[in-house]
Amino acid sequence: SLDGQGYTISNLNINLPSTQYVGLFGVITAGTTLKNMKFADCTISGAANTGTLYGRCIGISGVSTPFDIDNIDVEKCTVTSSSYYAGGIAGAHASAAVGTLSNCNVVSCAVSSTSSTNVGGIAGYLAHSQATNVTVRDCLVDDCHIWSSSSHVGGIAGYLAHSQAQGYAIRNTVRDCVIES
């Protein structure tokens, strides 16, 4: 659990274009709580599963506590994946990950994949693989450039849900963005 108490992480530079699971946290798991954090002027570069806050969220067998991501602001940051699953907050959620991203804002950012799919303003892949249940609620993506060299690109998520997974997007706003592939 981490409560950033509203502090800002500025100029974070992670340059690992050949490494999977890249972000402030590479992988988070069931039961993780991250809240009240701000990122400004950051540059994050990784391979599959790349995001500003975390690369991937996974479930843990026998742990039923959901993850909780709340009140995260990402502003003027660049997130680039040399592979797939890139997001302004998170790369992907998989393997029985259950939880919520709420009150998150991604503003004036660039999120991209230079060689593959699944790119989103909040998450590249919101819910991937069995028993994954992720909700994005009351989030904003504003003035961003979101693109992929291939497909599956979206303001909130590049891919919402797949293979017995459930993804929900509730009361979110996407405005003044360029979304392309």
Side-chain angles (χ1 to χ4, degrees), residues 35-50:
K35 62 184 182 178
N36 304 321
M37 300 172 69
K38 297 178 182 179
F39 295 86
D41 301 306
C42 299
T43 303
I44 313 296
S45 175
N49 303 285
T50 300

Side-chain angles (χ1 to χ4, degrees), residues 16-178:
L16 300 168
S18 300
T19 303
Q20 291 190 57
Y21 315 115
V22 174
L24 180 64
F25 298 97
V27 176
I28 66 168
T29 62
T32 298
T33 297
L34 301 171
K35 62 184 182 178
N36 304 321
M37 300 172 69
K38 297 178 182 179
F39 295 86
D41 301 306
C42 299
T43 303
I44 313 296
S45 175
N49 303 285
T50 300
T52 304
L53 185 58
Y54 56 94
R56 191 167 182 115
C57 178
I58 60 171
I60 298 175
S61 180
V63 176
S64 61
T65 307
F67 70 86
D68 182 22
I69 309 302
D70 185 39
N71 196 28
I72 306 296
D73 291 335
V74 177
E75 186 172 349
K76 296 181 183 172
C77 293
T78 300
V79 177
T80 305
S81 169
S82 63
S83 187
Y84 48 86
Y85 307 157
I89 303 287
H93 301 88
S95 307
V98 175
T100 303
L101 292 95
S102 56
N103 305 304
C104 296
N105 301 304
V106 178
V107 178
S108 299
C109 293
V111 183
S112 65
S113 168
T114 58
S115 70
S116 193
T117 66
N118 304 309
V119 180
I122 300 293
Y125 218 129
L126 192 57
H128 179 267
S129 73
Q130 59 192 337
T132 304
N133 184 331
V134 180
T135 300
V136 175
R137 176 180 290 125
D138 298 320
C139 293
L140 168 69
V141 179
D142 186 19
D143 188 33
C144 293
H145 184 196
I146 304 163
W147 67 275
S148 167
S149 62
S150 185
S151 61
H152 302 132
V153 185
I156 299 297
Y159 205 111
L160 188 62
H162 174 68
S163 184
Q164 300 176 351
Q166 297 176 346
Y168 304 95
I170 303 168
R171 293 187 314 264
N172 299 294
T173 302
V174 176
R175 68 175 177 227
D176 298 326
C177 293
V178 174

